[in-house]
């Protein structure tokens, strides 16, 4: 049984809808093994497979979702929230920036536009 | 392992528990997906292996996973009024297993047709191993499912009205090459009608979907003005 659940938990790891994706990202960023991850969350390592199969907390229900998962698996909710936030941040950093997005370094490197003449105003 | 499902591990949830679990999935519970998998994965995989003793047990595991993931992704595909959850999941997993088996057969036939060169027994064994890799089959199935979803969305957009659940199920069956009226009747929830009526309704539904597909193709093929 544990083998099948573990296999399924690993299989959903690339799927961002599952908590597995967030936990994997967090563990990688902290160079954590499963044992380390379980210890930091405060649960037995055997619990990780079922935990990974939970759905990822929604941004608009973040606190409630973290509470639900933490209560269900008796986890440290602060560490769980931090793990998901870290994974979110890492994923957003990995999002490709479009060259014409007009943000960040590309914008800073652009030639300065010639300043246009101020529009005539009614002020004197 | 802690669980909201009461009882010893390996016991299937009672019908009331299964209904509550499904209701949690529909309501967006974050832990219901895990409870569902823990409650049903072993049952589905072992039952599939028992019902299909000639098939690879790894394929049975994969089909069981597919059925659970499908329900997690679209919880409304199951209607608790129509049948118990375990039966629905088993039917879904059996269907996935058949598709896996068919895909495998198609690959084997294609390989035989395309491969005029006599391979060494060692190389042949290696290739067979690669083709029977469940992960590869699942990967192909997922891209096929993605294409189906995209087509259903394109159809809905083209006709300005979304496909109903029944229409989506029929479209899936058509794209899987399903020809049996009984399968379409089951998807449409008209299994209780006389066969003649079932045939007529299924025919109309297929015709309607074909026309919508054709219209979708025309709209998408038309150059922008």
């Amino acid at each position: 049984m544990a083998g099948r659940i573990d296999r399924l938990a690993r299989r959903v790891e690339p799927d961002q809808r599952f908590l597995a994706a967030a936990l994997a990202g967090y563990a990688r960023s902290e160079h954590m093994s499963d044992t380390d991850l379980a210890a930091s969350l405060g649960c037995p390592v055997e619990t990780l497979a079922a935990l990974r199969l939970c759905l990822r907390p929604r941004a608009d229900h973040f606190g409630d979702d973290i509470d639900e998962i933490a209560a269900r698996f008796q986890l440290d909710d602060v560490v769980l929230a931090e793990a998901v936030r870290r994974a979110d941040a890492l994923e957003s950093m990995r999002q490709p920036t479009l060259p014409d997005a007009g943000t960040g370094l590309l914008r800073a490197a652009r030639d300065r536009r010639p300043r246009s003449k101020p529009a005539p105003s009614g002020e004197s | 392992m802690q669980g909201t499902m009461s009882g010893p591990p390996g016991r299937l949830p009672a019908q009331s528990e299964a209904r509550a679990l499904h209701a949690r999935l529909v309501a967006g519970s974050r832990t219901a997906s895990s409870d569902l998998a823990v409650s049903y994965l072993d049952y589905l995989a072992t039952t599939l292996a028992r019902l299909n003793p000639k098939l690879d047990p790894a394929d049975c595991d994969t089909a069981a996973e597919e059925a659970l993931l499908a329900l997690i992704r679209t919880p409304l595909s199951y209607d608790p009024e129509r049948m118990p959850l375990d039966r629905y999941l088993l039917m879904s997993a059996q269907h996935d297993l058949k598709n896996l088996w068919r895909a495998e057969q198609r690959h084997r036939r294609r390989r035989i047709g395309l491969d005029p060169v006599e391979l060494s027994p060692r190389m042949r064994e290696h290739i067979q191993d690669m083709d029977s890799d469940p992960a590869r089959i699942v990967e192909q199935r997922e891209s096929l499912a993605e294409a189906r979803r995209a087509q259903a969305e394109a159809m809905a957009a083209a006709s300005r009205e979304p496909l109903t659940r029944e229409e989506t199920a029929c479209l899936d069956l058509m794209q899987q090459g399903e020809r049996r009226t009984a399968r379409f009747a089951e998807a449409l929830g008209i299994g209780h009608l006389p066969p003649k009526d079932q045939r007529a309704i299924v025919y109309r539904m297929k015709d309607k979907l074909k026309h919508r597909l054709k219209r979708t193709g025309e709209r998408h093929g038309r150059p922008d003005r």
Side-chain angles (χ1 to χ4, degrees):
Chain A
M1 173 67 173
R4 287 198 181 105
I5 284 292
D6 199 50
R7 181 184 121 132
L8 179 56
R10 294 293 180 189
R11 183 181 156 185
V12 300
E13 223 164 70
D15 188 337
Q16 297 298 329
R17 280 171 294 196
F18 287 89
L19 191 58
L23 293 178
Y26 175 69
R28 266 196 304 272
S29 75
E30 291 284 317
H31 306 287
M32 280 178 166
S33 66
D34 276 3
T35 314
D36 300 332
L37 179 64
S40 74
L41 288 165
C43 66
V45 74
E46 295 78 24
T47 302
L48 286 181
L51 178 61
R52 288 182 168 117
L53 288 166
C54 289
L55 294 179
R56 194 178 184 131
R58 296 159 290 188
D60 51 346
H61 295 77
F62 192 79
D64 291 341
D65 289 349
I66 288 288
D67 287 348
E68 183 195 352
I69 298 167
R72 167 73 178 74
F73 293 95
Q74 297 170 4
L75 307 176
D76 183 328
D77 55 352
V78 175
V79 176
L80 180 63
E82 189 197 327
V84 177
R85 291 272 192 229
R86 173 85 59 85
D88 286 345
L90 289 168
E91 275 146 31
S92 66
M93 283 164 65
R94 269 200 291 270
Q95 299 294 320
T97 308
L98 295 174
D100 58 352
T103 54
L105 291 174
L106 285 169
R107 188 183 192 185
R110 253 181 219 157
D111 289 339
R112 188 183 291 264
R113 280 187 190 172
R115 192 176 285 178
S116 55
K117 286 179 187 172
S121 68
E123 287 173 20
S124 55
Chain B
M1 181 178 299
Q2 317 92 313
T4 51
M5 302 282 121
S6 56
R11 184 187 72 85
L12 277 182
Q15 209 157 324
S16 58
E17 290 172 328
R19 275 177 175 257
L21 179 53
H22 178 250
R24 284 171 54 214
L25 268 182
V26 172
S29 159
R30 301 291 94 181
T31 55
S33 52
S34 172
D35 288 337
L36 181 84
V38 170
S39 299
Y40 289 96
L41 181 59
D42 204 34
Y43 157 75
L44 289 174
T46 52
T47 308
L48 283 180
R50 186 166 47 77
L51 294 174
N52 305 279
K54 290 184 180 171
L55 297 186
D56 186 345
D59 283 351
C60 296
D61 286 359
T62 303
E65 291 173 4
E66 282 292 303
L68 291 168
L69 291 176
L71 183 63
I72 290 167
R73 284 169 187 147
T74 49
L76 288 173
S77 61
Y78 166 63
D79 178 359
E81 300 303 323
R82 289 185 57 193
M83 67 179 81
L85 184 55
D86 57 333
R87 205 173 119 208
Y88 171 81
L89 286 169
L90 189 56
M91 275 175 57
S92 172
Q94 275 276 34
H95 187 66
D96 287 329
L97 186 59
K98 266 189 203 164
N99 284 342
L100 274 173
W101 184 81
R102 281 186 194 140
E104 207 170 319
Q105 296 303 308
R106 268 200 302 275
H107 282 293
R108 289 207 170 144
R109 275 200 300 272
R110 199 178 307 153
R111 197 184 60 239
I112 290 164
L114 291 174
D115 191 8
V117 180
E118 184 62 33
L119 298 171
S120 71
R122 194 174 162 190
M123 180 59 88
R124 198 180 299 134
E125 190 182 328
H126 173 68
I127 289 173
Q128 278 173 353
D129 281 346
M130 281 171 67
D131 275 1
S132 61
D133 180 1
R136 268 170 189 264
I137 294 165
V138 167
E139 204 173 283
Q140 282 155 354
R141 283 169 45 76
E142 279 173 352
S143 47
L144 189 61
E146 191 60 43
R148 277 193 204 127
R149 269 197 296 279
Q151 190 169 35
E153 279 165 19
M155 278 179 73
S159 66
R160 301 284 178 250
E161 60 186 65
L163 290 177
T164 63
R165 195 167 69 188
E166 288 79 12
E167 285 171 341
T168 307
C170 284
L171 181 66
D172 279 350
L173 289 172
M174 284 166 71
Q175 290 176 331
Q176 287 159 18
E178 181 61 63
R179 298 182 67 84
R180 287 167 296 175
T181 302
R183 292 282 297 131
F184 285 89
E186 186 192 318
L188 289 168
I190 55 166
H192 59 286
L193 295 179
K196 193 181 162 192
D197 294 345
Q198 287 184 19
R199 274 196 299 277
I201 294 169
V202 167
Y203 177 81
R204 277 202 300 274
M205 174 58 78
K206 284 167 134 179
D207 202 43
K208 183 180 164 189
L209 288 169
K210 278 178 197 163
H211 275 97
R212 284 185 70 171
L213 270 173
K214 197 176 162 198
R215 281 204 307 273
T216 308
E218 282 166 2
R219 279 169 199 253
H220 283 257
R222 195 187 301 160
D224 291 331
R225 287 176 191 165

